[in-house]
mmCIF file of all heavy atoms in Angstrom:
data_model
loop_
_atom_site.group_PDB
_atom_site.id
_atom_site.type_symbol
_atom_site.label_atom_id
_atom_site.label_comp_id
_atom_site.label_asym_id
_atom_site.label_seq_id
_atom_site.Cartn_x
_atom_site.Cartn_y
_atom_site.Cartn_z
ATOM 1 N N MET X 1 104.410 120.110 92.253
ATOM 2 C CA MET X 1 105.442 120.923 92.661
ATOM 3 C C MET X 1 106.620 121.083 91.654
ATOM 4 O O MET X 1 107.015 122.198 91.273
ATOM 5 C CB MET X 1 106.211 120.311 93.929
ATOM 6 C CG MET X 1 107.361 121.071 94.527
ATOM 7 S SD MET X 1 107.828 120.564 96.100
ATOM 8 C CE MET X 1 108.705 119.074 95.730
ATOM 9 N N LEU X 2 106.980 119.922 90.994
ATOM 10 C CA LEU X 2 108.099 120.005 90.040
ATOM 11 C C LEU X 2 107.301 119.956 88.614
ATOM 12 O O LEU X 2 106.013 119.933 88.508
ATOM 13 C CB LEU X 2 109.007 118.816 90.240
ATOM 14 C CG LEU X 2 109.712 118.893 91.463
ATOM 15 C CD1 LEU X 2 110.612 117.611 91.701
ATOM 16 C CD2 LEU X 2 110.715 120.137 91.578
ATOM 17 N N PHE X 5 104.057 115.309 87.308
ATOM 18 C CA PHE X 5 103.597 114.432 88.411
ATOM 19 C C PHE X 5 104.669 113.469 88.814
ATOM 20 O O PHE X 5 105.018 113.291 90.015
ATOM 21 C CB PHE X 5 102.339 113.779 88.015
ATOM 22 C CG PHE X 5 101.700 112.900 89.139
ATOM 23 C CD1 PHE X 5 101.281 113.490 90.375
ATOM 24 C CD2 PHE X 5 101.453 111.600 88.945
ATOM 25 C CE1 PHE X 5 100.849 112.618 91.343
ATOM 26 C CE2 PHE X 5 100.877 110.779 89.871
ATOM 27 C CZ PHE X 5 100.506 111.375 91.216
ATOM 28 N N SER X 8 107.477 115.125 90.700
ATOM 29 C CA SER X 8 107.168 115.350 92.167
ATOM 30 C C SER X 8 107.109 114.145 92.878
ATOM 31 O O SER X 8 107.664 114.170 94.148
ATOM 32 C CB SER X 8 105.722 116.074 92.085
ATOM 33 O OG SER X 8 105.735 117.200 91.277
ATOM 34 N N TRP X 11 110.554 113.052 93.823
ATOM 35 C CA TRP X 11 111.101 113.847 94.886
ATOM 36 C C TRP X 11 110.624 113.302 96.233
ATOM 37 O O TRP X 11 111.376 113.154 97.154
ATOM 38 C CB TRP X 11 110.721 115.361 94.660
ATOM 39 C CG TRP X 11 111.493 116.291 95.550
ATOM 40 C CD1 TRP X 11 112.676 116.870 95.345
ATOM 41 C CD2 TRP X 11 110.983 116.736 96.834
ATOM 42 N NE1 TRP X 11 112.933 117.654 96.390
ATOM 43 C CE2 TRP X 11 111.980 117.604 97.410
ATOM 44 C CE3 TRP X 11 109.843 116.398 97.709
ATOM 45 C CZ2 TRP X 11 111.844 118.180 98.604
ATOM 46 C CZ3 TRP X 11 109.717 116.964 98.823
ATOM 47 C CH2 TRP X 11 110.826 117.857 99.327
ATOM 48 N N VAL X 12 109.352 113.170 96.210
ATOM 49 C CA VAL X 12 108.615 112.689 97.602
ATOM 50 C C VAL X 12 109.186 111.339 97.983
ATOM 51 O O VAL X 12 109.577 111.115 99.114
ATOM 52 C CB VAL X 12 107.158 112.637 97.387
ATOM 53 C CG1 VAL X 12 106.614 111.862 98.482
ATOM 54 C CG2 VAL X 12 106.478 114.008 97.218
ATOM 55 N N PHE X 16 111.324 111.708 101.458
ATOM 56 C CA PHE X 16 110.522 111.249 102.504
ATOM 57 C C PHE X 16 111.037 109.892 102.913
ATOM 58 O O PHE X 16 111.085 109.465 103.978
ATOM 59 C CB PHE X 16 109.025 111.358 102.302
ATOM 60 C CG PHE X 16 108.431 112.714 102.439
ATOM 61 C CD1 PHE X 16 108.352 113.597 101.562
ATOM 62 C CD2 PHE X 16 108.091 113.070 103.829
ATOM 63 C CE1 PHE X 16 107.856 114.821 101.877
ATOM 64 C CE2 PHE X 16 107.576 114.317 104.075
ATOM 65 C CZ PHE X 16 107.422 115.234 103.057
ATOM 66 N N VAL X 180 102.850 106.361 101.080
ATOM 67 C CA VAL X 180 103.213 107.341 100.085
ATOM 68 C C VAL X 180 104.319 106.653 99.209
ATOM 69 O O VAL X 180 104.318 106.872 98.062
ATOM 70 C CB VAL X 180 103.585 108.689 100.731
ATOM 71 C CG1 VAL X 180 104.273 109.654 99.786
ATOM 72 C CG2 VAL X 180 102.541 109.388 101.471
ATOM 73 N N ALA X 236 94.169 104.454 115.180
ATOM 74 C CA ALA X 236 93.492 105.698 114.695
ATOM 75 C C ALA X 236 93.045 106.404 115.809
ATOM 76 O O ALA X 236 93.061 107.762 115.727
ATOM 77 C CB ALA X 236 92.285 105.250 113.745
ATOM 78 N N TYR X 239 95.843 108.660 116.737
ATOM 79 C CA TYR X 239 96.364 109.691 115.685
ATOM 80 C C TYR X 239 95.147 110.685 115.565
ATOM 81 O O TYR X 239 95.489 111.865 115.296
ATOM 82 C CB TYR X 239 96.663 108.996 114.512
ATOM 83 C CG TYR X 239 97.761 108.051 114.571
ATOM 84 C CD1 TYR X 239 97.796 106.807 114.113
ATOM 85 C CD2 TYR X 239 98.970 108.426 115.313
ATOM 86 C CE1 TYR X 239 98.780 105.928 114.327
ATOM 87 C CE2 TYR X 239 100.014 107.596 115.537
ATOM 88 C CZ TYR X 239 99.996 106.330 115.023
ATOM 89 O OH TYR X 239 101.039 105.504 115.209
ATOM 90 N N PHE X 240 93.951 110.379 115.680
ATOM 91 C CA PHE X 240 92.813 111.278 115.637
ATOM 92 C C PHE X 240 91.872 111.156 116.843
ATOM 93 O O PHE X 240 90.858 110.606 116.682
ATOM 94 C CB PHE X 240 92.065 110.960 114.251
ATOM 95 C CG PHE X 240 92.830 111.424 113.101
ATOM 96 C CD1 PHE X 240 93.446 110.418 112.237
ATOM 97 C CD2 PHE X 240 92.950 112.696 112.611
ATOM 98 C CE1 PHE X 240 94.185 110.712 111.114
ATOM 99 C CE2 PHE X 240 93.686 112.975 111.561
ATOM 100 C CZ PHE X 240 94.467 112.032 110.758
ATOM 101 N N GLY X 243 87.414 111.417 120.172
ATOM 102 C CA GLY X 243 86.602 111.198 121.364
ATOM 103 C C GLY X 243 87.032 111.815 122.579
ATOM 104 O O GLY X 243 86.369 111.932 123.564
ATOM 105 N N THR X 245 88.706 114.716 122.656
ATOM 106 C CA THR X 245 88.855 116.194 122.522
ATOM 107 C C THR X 245 87.522 116.721 122.024
ATOM 108 O O THR X 245 86.593 116.942 122.846
ATOM 109 C CB THR X 245 89.912 116.566 121.503
ATOM 110 O OG1 THR X 245 89.627 115.719 120.313
ATOM 111 C CG2 THR X 245 91.205 116.122 122.144
ATOM 112 N N MET X 246 87.448 117.034 120.676
ATOM 113 C CA MET X 246 86.264 117.741 120.234
ATOM 114 C C MET X 246 84.918 116.990 120.468
ATOM 115 O O MET X 246 83.910 117.689 120.801
ATOM 116 C CB MET X 246 86.403 117.856 118.764
ATOM 117 C CG MET X 246 86.142 119.218 118.169
ATOM 118 S SD MET X 246 86.630 119.190 116.458
ATOM 119 C CE MET X 246 85.090 119.336 115.708
ATOM 120 N N MET X 247 84.951 115.677 120.386
ATOM 121 C CA MET X 247 83.734 114.973 120.358
ATOM 122 C C MET X 247 83.505 114.287 121.790
ATOM 123 O O MET X 247 82.699 113.263 121.735
ATOM 124 C CB MET X 247 83.699 113.961 119.264
ATOM 125 C CG MET X 247 83.850 114.764 117.877
ATOM 126 S SD MET X 247 83.241 113.733 116.518
ATOM 127 C CE MET X 247 82.125 114.875 115.720
ATOM 128 N N HIS X 254 77.527 108.514 124.423
ATOM 129 C CA HIS X 254 77.452 107.208 123.795
ATOM 130 C C HIS X 254 77.684 106.105 124.788
ATOM 131 O O HIS X 254 77.035 105.101 124.877
ATOM 132 C CB HIS X 254 78.297 107.074 122.676
ATOM 133 C CG HIS X 254 78.374 105.783 122.059
ATOM 134 N ND1 HIS X 254 77.300 105.273 121.230
ATOM 135 C CD2 HIS X 254 79.215 104.740 122.037
ATOM 136 C CE1 HIS X 254 77.555 104.108 120.816
ATOM 137 N NE2 HIS X 254 78.783 103.726 121.289
ATOM 138 N N THR X 347 78.393 95.320 113.340
ATOM 139 C CA THR X 347 77.934 96.200 112.222
ATOM 140 C C THR X 347 78.887 96.082 111.087
ATOM 141 O O THR X 347 79.933 95.478 111.122
ATOM 142 C CB THR X 347 77.835 97.706 112.605
ATOM 143 O OG1 THR X 347 79.152 98.025 113.063
ATOM 144 C CG2 THR X 347 76.830 97.779 113.765
ATOM 145 N N ALA X 349 80.730 98.285 109.483
ATOM 146 C CA ALA X 349 81.975 99.039 109.753
ATOM 147 C C ALA X 349 82.821 98.251 110.758
ATOM 148 O O ALA X 349 84.050 98.098 110.608
ATOM 149 C CB ALA X 349 81.752 100.438 110.297
ATOM 150 N N ASN X 353 86.516 96.682 110.336
ATOM 151 C CA ASN X 353 87.558 97.141 111.192
ATOM 152 C C ASN X 353 88.150 95.890 111.865
ATOM 153 O O ASN X 353 89.508 95.879 112.043
ATOM 154 C CB ASN X 353 86.945 98.047 112.216
ATOM 155 C CG ASN X 353 88.036 98.732 113.044
ATOM 156 O OD1 ASN X 353 88.926 99.334 112.560
ATOM 157 N ND2 ASN X 353 87.976 98.504 114.369
ATOM 158 N N SER W 2 115.322 118.119 89.432
ATOM 159 C CA SER W 2 115.937 119.259 90.047
ATOM 160 C C SER W 2 115.076 120.178 90.891
ATOM 161 O O SER W 2 113.939 120.396 90.614
ATOM 162 C CB SER W 2 116.616 120.289 88.828
ATOM 163 O OG SER W 2 116.557 121.523 89.271
ATOM 164 N N THR W 3 115.552 120.510 92.012
ATOM 165 C CA THR W 3 114.812 121.434 92.869
ATOM 166 C C THR W 3 115.425 122.692 92.999
ATOM 167 O O THR W 3 115.140 123.508 93.880
ATOM 168 C CB THR W 3 114.707 120.775 94.451
ATOM 169 O OG1 THR W 3 116.019 120.349 94.752
ATOM 170 C CG2 THR W 3 113.754 119.526 94.341
ATOM 171 N N ARG W 14 105.909 123.631 101.480
ATOM 172 C CA ARG W 14 105.230 122.476 100.792
ATOM 173 C C ARG W 14 105.066 121.266 101.759
ATOM 174 O O ARG W 14 104.084 120.617 101.776
ATOM 175 C CB ARG W 14 106.020 122.118 99.443
ATOM 176 C CG ARG W 14 105.353 121.084 98.580
ATOM 177 C CD ARG W 14 104.184 121.659 97.881
ATOM 178 N NE ARG W 14 104.590 122.396 96.691
ATOM 179 C CZ ARG W 14 103.704 122.623 95.660
ATOM 180 N NH1 ARG W 14 102.543 121.951 95.557
ATOM 181 N NH2 ARG W 14 103.969 123.239 94.620
ATOM 182 N N TYR W 23 97.020 116.912 107.887
ATOM 183 C CA TYR W 23 96.444 116.488 109.215
ATOM 184 C C TYR W 23 95.199 117.254 109.485
ATOM 185 O O TYR W 23 94.051 116.690 109.829
ATOM 186 C CB TYR W 23 97.341 116.629 110.280
ATOM 187 C CG TYR W 23 96.884 116.055 111.611
ATOM 188 C CD1 TYR W 23 97.032 114.641 111.813
ATOM 189 C CD2 TYR W 23 96.322 116.862 112.528
ATOM 190 C CE1 TYR W 23 96.635 114.176 113.050
ATOM 191 C CE2 TYR W 23 95.887 116.398 113.626
ATOM 192 C CZ TYR W 23 96.031 114.993 113.988
ATOM 193 O OH TYR W 23 95.568 114.475 115.150
ATOM 194 N N VAL W 26 92.302 115.975 107.233
ATOM 195 C CA VAL W 26 91.732 114.767 107.610
ATOM 196 C C VAL W 26 90.978 114.964 108.897
ATOM 197 O O VAL W 26 89.931 114.361 109.125
ATOM 198 C CB VAL W 26 92.787 113.721 107.722
ATOM 199 C CG1 VAL W 26 92.240 112.332 108.183
ATOM 200 C CG2 VAL W 26 93.565 113.482 106.442
ATOM 201 N N TRP W 27 91.438 115.710 109.833
ATOM 202 C CA TRP W 27 90.801 115.987 111.156
ATOM 203 C C TRP W 27 89.387 116.406 110.824
ATOM 204 O O TRP W 27 88.432 116.019 111.404
ATOM 205 C CB TRP W 27 91.547 116.882 112.057
ATOM 206 C CG TRP W 27 90.830 117.194 113.260
ATOM 207 C CD1 TRP W 27 89.845 118.144 113.519
ATOM 208 C CD2 TRP W 27 91.068 116.507 114.545
ATOM 209 N NE1 TRP W 27 89.421 118.055 114.859
ATOM 210 C CE2 TRP W 27 90.186 117.031 115.508
ATOM 211 C CE3 TRP W 27 91.949 115.509 115.027
ATOM 212 C CZ2 TRP W 27 90.157 116.693 116.771
ATOM 213 C CZ3 TRP W 27 91.862 114.980 116.244
ATOM 214 C CH2 TRP W 27 91.010 115.617 117.200
ATOM 215 N N THR W 31 85.935 114.620 111.715
ATOM 216 C CA THR W 31 84.943 115.071 112.686
ATOM 217 C C THR W 31 83.512 115.413 111.927
ATOM 218 O O THR W 31 82.450 115.097 112.490
ATOM 219 C CB THR W 31 85.382 116.336 113.362
ATOM 220 O OG1 THR W 31 86.008 117.249 112.401
ATOM 221 C CG2 THR W 31 86.479 116.016 114.371
ATOM 222 N N TYR W 44 77.363 106.676 117.492
ATOM 223 C CA TYR W 44 78.760 107.371 117.575
ATOM 224 C C TYR W 44 79.808 106.353 117.180
ATOM 225 O O TYR W 44 80.762 106.634 116.444
ATOM 226 C CB TYR W 44 78.920 107.904 118.905
ATOM 227 C CG TYR W 44 80.254 108.417 119.082
ATOM 228 C CD1 TYR W 44 80.803 109.524 118.690
ATOM 229 C CD2 TYR W 44 81.210 107.613 119.918
ATOM 230 C CE1 TYR W 44 82.005 109.996 118.837
ATOM 231 C CE2 TYR W 44 82.506 108.004 120.035
ATOM 232 C CZ TYR W 44 82.858 109.182 119.579
ATOM 233 O OH TYR W 44 84.158 109.647 119.872
ATOM 234 N N ASP W 45 79.826 105.164 117.960
ATOM 235 C CA ASP W 45 80.932 104.211 117.628
ATOM 236 C C ASP W 45 81.029 103.682 116.238
ATOM 237 O O ASP W 45 82.175 103.587 115.649
ATOM 238 C CB ASP W 45 80.979 103.108 118.689
ATOM 239 C CG ASP W 45 79.676 102.263 118.535
ATOM 240 O OD1 ASP W 45 78.714 102.614 117.881
ATOM 241 O OD2 ASP W 45 79.737 101.184 119.024
ATOM 242 N N GLU W 46 79.886 103.483 115.597
ATOM 243 C CA GLU W 46 79.932 102.942 114.120
ATOM 244 C C GLU W 46 80.490 104.145 113.224
ATOM 245 O O GLU W 46 81.222 103.832 112.271
ATOM 246 C CB GLU W 46 78.565 102.425 113.782
ATOM 247 C CG GLU W 46 78.665 101.626 112.595
ATOM 248 C CD GLU W 46 77.283 101.118 112.269
ATOM 249 O OE1 GLU W 46 76.317 101.233 112.931
ATOM 250 O OE2 GLU W 46 77.105 100.645 111.044
ATOM 251 N N THR W 49 84.293 104.411 113.662
ATOM 252 C CA THR W 49 84.975 103.403 113.065
ATOM 253 C C THR W 49 84.976 103.649 111.450
ATOM 254 O O THR W 49 85.971 103.428 110.900
ATOM 255 C CB THR W 49 84.280 102.014 113.315
ATOM 256 O OG1 THR W 49 84.248 101.921 114.772
ATOM 257 C CG2 THR W 49 85.127 100.880 112.766
ATOM 258 N N THR W 50 83.805 103.982 110.932
ATOM 259 C CA THR W 50 83.782 104.179 109.513
ATOM 260 C C THR W 50 84.672 105.190 108.989
ATOM 261 O O THR W 50 85.407 105.091 108.108
ATOM 262 C CB THR W 50 82.351 104.660 109.076
ATOM 263 O OG1 THR W 50 81.381 103.730 109.637
ATOM 264 C CG2 THR W 50 82.133 104.752 107.565
ATOM 265 N N TYR W 52 87.419 106.353 110.659
ATOM 266 C CA TYR W 52 88.887 105.938 110.770
ATOM 267 C C TYR W 52 89.242 105.076 109.734
ATOM 268 O O TYR W 52 90.490 105.010 109.424
ATOM 269 C CB TYR W 52 88.986 105.219 112.195
ATOM 270 C CG TYR W 52 88.929 106.002 113.401
ATOM 271 C CD1 TYR W 52 88.830 105.544 114.717
ATOM 272 C CD2 TYR W 52 89.231 107.439 113.288
ATOM 273 C CE1 TYR W 52 88.907 106.297 115.871
ATOM 274 C CE2 TYR W 52 89.387 108.259 114.461
ATOM 275 C CZ TYR W 52 89.228 107.638 115.766
ATOM 276 O OH TYR W 52 89.259 108.415 116.810
ATOM 277 N N PHE W 56 93.054 107.441 106.609
ATOM 278 C CA PHE W 56 94.381 107.373 106.221
ATOM 279 C C PHE W 56 94.575 107.237 104.723
ATOM 280 O O PHE W 56 95.502 107.713 104.203
ATOM 281 C CB PHE W 56 95.215 106.130 107.000
ATOM 282 C CG PHE W 56 95.159 106.418 108.428
ATOM 283 C CD1 PHE W 56 94.115 105.783 109.303
ATOM 284 C CD2 PHE W 56 95.921 107.275 109.105
ATOM 285 C CE1 PHE W 56 94.111 105.967 110.600
ATOM 286 C CE2 PHE W 56 95.858 107.547 110.399
ATOM 287 C CZ PHE W 56 94.930 106.857 111.122
ATOM 288 N N PHE W 63 98.060 113.930 100.757
ATOM 289 C CA PHE W 63 99.554 114.162 100.884
ATOM 290 C C PHE W 63 100.187 114.232 99.472
ATOM 291 O O PHE W 63 101.023 115.079 99.202
ATOM 292 C CB PHE W 63 100.078 113.054 101.736
ATOM 293 C CG PHE W 63 101.624 113.159 102.030
ATOM 294 C CD1 PHE W 63 102.086 113.835 103.163
ATOM 295 C CD2 PHE W 63 102.448 112.760 101.063
ATOM 296 C CE1 PHE W 63 103.386 113.981 103.416
ATOM 297 C CE2 PHE W 63 103.868 112.731 101.309
ATOM 298 C CZ PHE W 63 104.312 113.433 102.535
ATOM 299 N N PHE W 67 101.908 117.547 96.762
ATOM 300 C CA PHE W 67 103.051 117.846 95.945
ATOM 301 C C PHE W 67 102.882 117.759 94.501
ATOM 302 O O PHE W 67 103.677 118.271 93.818
ATOM 303 C CB PHE W 67 104.127 116.557 96.319
ATOM 304 C CG PHE W 67 104.706 116.678 97.706
ATOM 305 C CD1 PHE W 67 104.059 116.196 98.805
ATOM 306 C CD2 PHE W 67 105.846 117.526 97.975
ATOM 307 C CE1 PHE W 67 104.683 116.232 100.064
ATOM 308 C CE2 PHE W 67 106.320 117.624 99.312
ATOM 309 C CZ PHE W 67 105.751 117.041 100.309
ATOM 310 N N ALA W 68 101.800 117.221 94.198
ATOM 311 C CA ALA W 68 101.442 117.076 92.701
ATOM 312 C C ALA W 68 100.859 118.463 92.241
ATOM 313 O O ALA W 68 101.169 118.857 91.097
ATOM 314 C CB ALA W 68 100.526 116.060 92.414
ATOM 315 N N ALA W 69 100.138 119.159 93.141
ATOM 316 C CA ALA W 69 99.509 120.384 92.706
ATOM 317 C C ALA W 69 100.661 121.562 92.282
ATOM 318 O O ALA W 69 101.617 121.610 92.919
ATOM 319 C CB ALA W 69 98.607 120.913 93.812
ATOM 320 N N TRP W 91 81.848 121.317 114.512
ATOM 321 C CA TRP W 91 81.728 122.032 115.804
ATOM 322 C C TRP W 91 80.310 122.463 115.941
ATOM 323 O O TRP W 91 79.712 122.334 117.045
ATOM 324 C CB TRP W 91 82.647 123.088 115.925
ATOM 325 C CG TRP W 91 82.911 123.649 117.261
ATOM 326 C CD1 TRP W 91 82.064 124.699 117.802
ATOM 327 C CD2 TRP W 91 83.841 123.244 118.241
ATOM 328 N NE1 TRP W 91 82.553 124.842 119.098
ATOM 329 C CE2 TRP W 91 83.692 123.902 119.487
ATOM 330 C CE3 TRP W 91 84.696 122.199 118.228
ATOM 331 C CZ2 TRP W 91 84.381 123.838 120.550
ATOM 332 C CZ3 TRP W 91 85.515 122.045 119.391
ATOM 333 C CH2 TRP W 91 85.249 122.726 120.603
#
Side-chain angles (χ1 to χ4, degrees):
Chain X
M1 176 168 82
L2 300 170
F5 182 57
S8 300
W11 188 91
V12 167
F16 278 94
V180 171
Y239 300 132
F240 292 100
T245 54
M246 223 175 111
M247 307 201 127
H254 178 74
T347 59
N353 189 55
Chain W
S2 152
T3 48
R14 187 73 79 156
Y23 185 83
V26 177
W27 179 278
T31 48
Y44 170 80
D45 58 346
E46 201 183 341
T49 308
T50 308
Y52 279 168
F56 300 100
F63 183 95
F67 289 93
W91 194 268

